[in-house]
Amino acid sequence: VRLEESGGGLVQAGDSLRLSCAPSSITFTHYNVGWWRQAPGKEREFVAGISWSATNVRYAESVKGRFTVSRDNVKNIVSLQMNTLKTEDTAVYYCAADQDYYYPDYVPRNSLEYAYWGQGTQVTVSP
């Protein structure tokens, strides 16, 4: 299973970006999907996640009210809409997925719970 992120780039503080995550060789229907990020010199951190049923979403406190995670199981894609970007949002953003058939409302927040990871996309926010 390979995940591919897209949509990163260089923007100014206050701007918006929309990241997308698409898988190869699978459909996302029964996969919880999370967005993570890693800034230089820092550990990878959870940003947002959505359950496979789309009935539950979770956000890190630092992005609540600014970021929105969504999924389109017809298009087989999960998106992260990032508004009012701040310089501290600068990082490599990764999507991750894990198969789940049993818990429609569960959103993993531990990186060890995700079996599949993308290569990441760089988001740089300038002052």
Side-chain angles (χ1 to χ4, degrees), residues 28-106:
F28 258 160
T29 308
H30 276 280
Y31 284 80
N32 300 315
V33 178
W35 285 97
W36 295 71
R37 67 186 181 187
Q38 187 166 20
K42 295 188 177 181
E43 293 187 354
R44 191 172 296 188
E45 64 174 354
F46 175 81
V47 176
I50 186 166
S51 62
W52 64 261
S53 66
T55 57
N56 196 16
V57 293
R58 287 287 185 263
Y59 298 97
E61 286 297 321
S62 59
V63 306
K64 275 184 180 178
R66 299 189 298 122
F67 290 14
T68 302
V69 61
S70 61
R71 67 189 303 152
D72 185 332
N73 285 344
V74 174
K75 294 182 179 179
N76 205 31
I77 197 167
V78 172
S79 300
L80 182 68
Q81 178 66 42
M82 306 187 295
N83 298 329
T84 320
L85 283 161
K86 304 177 180 180
T87 56
E88 52 262 44
D89 294 319
T90 295
V92 178
Y93 283 71
Y94 301 88
C95 71
D98 195 60
Q99 198 170 36
D100 185 351
Y101 285 91
Y102 303 108
Y103 304 104
D105 298 329
Y106 184 58

Side-chain angles (χ1 to χ4, degrees), residues 99-120:
Q99 198 170 36
D100 185 351
Y101 285 91
Y102 303 108
Y103 304 104
D105 298 329
Y106 184 58
V107 178
R109 301 191 64 162
N110 186 323
S111 62
L112 297 176
E113 295 183 84
Y114 289 94
Y116 309 108
W117 292 80
Q119 294 297 308

